[in-house]
Each structure stands twice: as structure tokens, then as C-alpha cells.
Amino acid sequence: MTDSHSDQQSGAEQPLISHLVELRDRILRSVLVVLVIFLGLFYFANEIYAFVSEPLRKFLPEGSTMIATEVASPFLTPFKLTIVLAIFLAIPFLLHQIWSFIAPGLYQHEKRIAIPMLFSSVVLFYAGIAFAYYVVFPLVFGFFTSVGPSDVTIMTDINRYLDFVLKLFFAFGIAFEIPIATVLLIWSGASTVESLGQKRPYVVVGCFVLGMLLTPPDVISQALLALPMWVLFEIGILFGRMIPKEDDEEPEEEATS
């Protein structure tokens, strides 16, 4: 009796230990990939920072430059940017590791929707960053540098600028995930297309509130975040209409390995 009980206990502990070992291995692989990408990019850290700061520098008055107000900023600022860029570039691999860890516990119909969702989330995140860089930054910096007093020389600190643009990159990258969140709400049954459509006025107000919270305190960047969020919400509803009803799907009772 004691032996059988101990065998059952060891059998229950073994899967947990193996899952923890697998999780550890996947985390280590993820960290290693980020480190490898960082090492490959660090030689070009200054060029990368020059590229990221170009939307502001092209609007600076002639003779003005960006400045570093701290002793270590010329080194630490490009260093920080390179680390963040390495993480951003490693996102497909990081999501693949997450997917590989959770996939064995999913049903087949869950896998069918999870794979395109993962791919779409990566594409939309990168699209949000590109939208911020190529659309939002020129408008925001062009406005900021043109409305200041004529006797004030614009010399932006490189570290403050990096914090500003990283905040906008992250805000727009996350905001562009709205179609994914909308489709998941509909697919999971937490809401319906009709219900979300009825809540549209509240969603619009929520988009502008989030735009106010996630962006710097200026109307331009807030509007440039809120309006795409609203459009992406509508796109999510559009794709949500394509999700088949549960009545049309064949029930799947066993999880696939």
C-alpha cells in the first residue's frame, strides 16, 4: 500500500518537474537569443541611435544638435536602445517558445486559431512601431519644433528623447494588438459582435482616454494613437464576424499532444 502510494506521488511530481525543466530551458534559450542579437547589433549602436533620432534631428534649426547632460549618457543611451531593439527583434522567437510550451495542452480547434493569432500579433506589433516612426514622429516633432519661442534654442537630451520614443513605440505596438484582443473576446464567447457594436461609443471614448494615458501630454500624439485604435477595433469586429459559431464546429473532447 505504501509503495503504490509513493509511486503515484512520484508520478504526479515527475510531470511538474519536467514542465519546470522545459520552462527553464525555453527561458534560457530566449535569453541567449536576445543576447546574441544584442551582441550582433552593439557594434552599430550609434548608427541605430542616429536612425531612431532622425525624425527629430531633421527638424532641428541649423546649428542645433542633441546633447548629453550626463557623463555616461553617450554610452548608456545607445546601449539601452540596442537592448530594447534586440528584445523587439527576438519577439517572434520568444512567442514561438511560449507557443511550444503551451501547445501540447491545447485542443486542435484552439491550435487552429492560435497560430494565425500569434503571427498576426507579431505583424501588428511591428506595424504599430513603424506607424509611430514614419507617421507620428514627423508630425509630432514638426509641430513641437515650430511652435516654440523664436529665441529658444532646441537642444534635446539624448536620454530624454530615447525615453520619449520608446514610450511611444511601446504604446503604438500594444495599441495595434486591438484586433487580436477583439477577435479573442468574440472567439472565446466573452462577448459577441453585436454586443461590441453596441458598446462602440464607449470604446471610442476609451480609445481617447488610453491615448491620453499612453502618450505624452499633447493633442497630436493622443489623437494619432486614439484614431488608429478605433479603426483597429472596427477591423477586429469585421474579422470577428468570420468566426464560425460554436454550433457549426464539431466538438473536440481530447487534447492533442
Side-chain angles (χ1 to χ4, degrees):
M1 184 69 178
T2 305
D3 294 340
S4 63
H5 178 72
S6 60
D7 291 342
Q8 291 176 356
Q9 185 176 7
S10 62
E13 292 176 352
Q14 187 61 33
L16 175 61
I17 294 175
S18 62
H19 286 319
L20 291 176
V21 171
E22 181 185 2
L23 179 61
R24 181 204 62 186
D25 292 342
R26 295 194 181 281
I27 292 175
L28 290 176
R29 290 175 201 163
S30 300
V31 173
L32 180 61
V33 167
V34 172
L35 180 60
V36 169
I37 296 176
F38 168 77
L39 293 177
L41 294 175
F42 184 68
Y43 180 80
F44 307 98
N46 291 334
E47 289 79 3
I48 294 171
Y49 188 88
F51 175 79
V52 172
S53 62
E54 176 62 21
L56 173 63
R57 290 189 295 109
K58 70 180 181 181
F59 288 109
L60 292 177
E62 186 176 355
S64 296
T65 62
M66 300 183 72
I67 61 173
T69 58
E70 298 177 3
V71 175
S73 290
F75 171 78
L76 292 180
T77 302
F79 181 89
K80 180 168 67 173
L81 174 60
T82 308
I83 291 178
V84 175
L85 179 59
I87 296 174
F88 280 1
L89 292 178
I91 284 178
F93 181 82
L94 301 181
L95 289 179
H96 177 264
Q97 292 301 306
I98 296 174
W99 165 253
S100 299
F101 182 73
I102 66 175
L106 298 179
Y107 293 100
Q108 190 62 36
H109 71 281
E110 293 173 334
K111 290 182 179 180
R112 282 200 300 267
I113 194 171
I115 294 176
M117 285 294 177
L118 285 173
F119 176 79
S120 300
S121 64
V122 174
V123 173
L124 287 171
F125 185 81
Y126 288 152
I129 293 176
F131 181 83
Y133 182 84
Y134 290 105
V135 178
V136 178
F137 288 178
L139 293 174
V140 171
F141 297 142
F143 173 77
F144 284 164
T145 55
S146 63
V147 299
S150 58
D151 57 345
V152 173
T153 302
I154 301 175
M155 292 187 295
T156 305
D157 177 65
I158 59 174
N159 191 48
R160 293 292 183 87
Y161 174 82
L162 180 60
D163 292 339
F164 179 87
V165 298
L166 288 181
K167 182 179 180 180
L168 284 182
F169 278 150
F170 185 77
F172 277 86
I174 295 299
F176 270 58
E177 302 294 331
I178 287 179
I180 304 297
T182 305
V183 171
L184 286 176
L185 283 174
I186 298 171
W187 174 76
S188 64
S191 186
T192 62
V193 173
E194 294 74 16
S195 176
L196 291 175
Q198 294 173 358
K199 295 180 176 63
R200 184 175 286 108
Y202 304 102
V203 171
V204 174
V205 174
C207 289
F208 279 91
V209 171
L210 286 176
M212 177 184 66
L213 296 175
L214 295 177
T215 60
D218 66 278
V219 177
I220 297 179
S221 57
Q222 291 171 7
L224 288 174
L225 178 60
L227 293 177
M229 288 172 66
W230 179 21
V231 174
L232 291 167
F233 170 75
E234 299 294 342
I235 294 174
I237 290 181
L238 178 63
F239 279 99
R241 297 182 187 277
M242 304 178 185
I243 298 177
K245 304 293 184 182
E246 290 186 0
D247 300 344
D248 301 331
E249 294 183 351
E250 295 182 0
E252 307 213 20
E253 300 179 355
E254 296 183 357
T256 57
S257 58

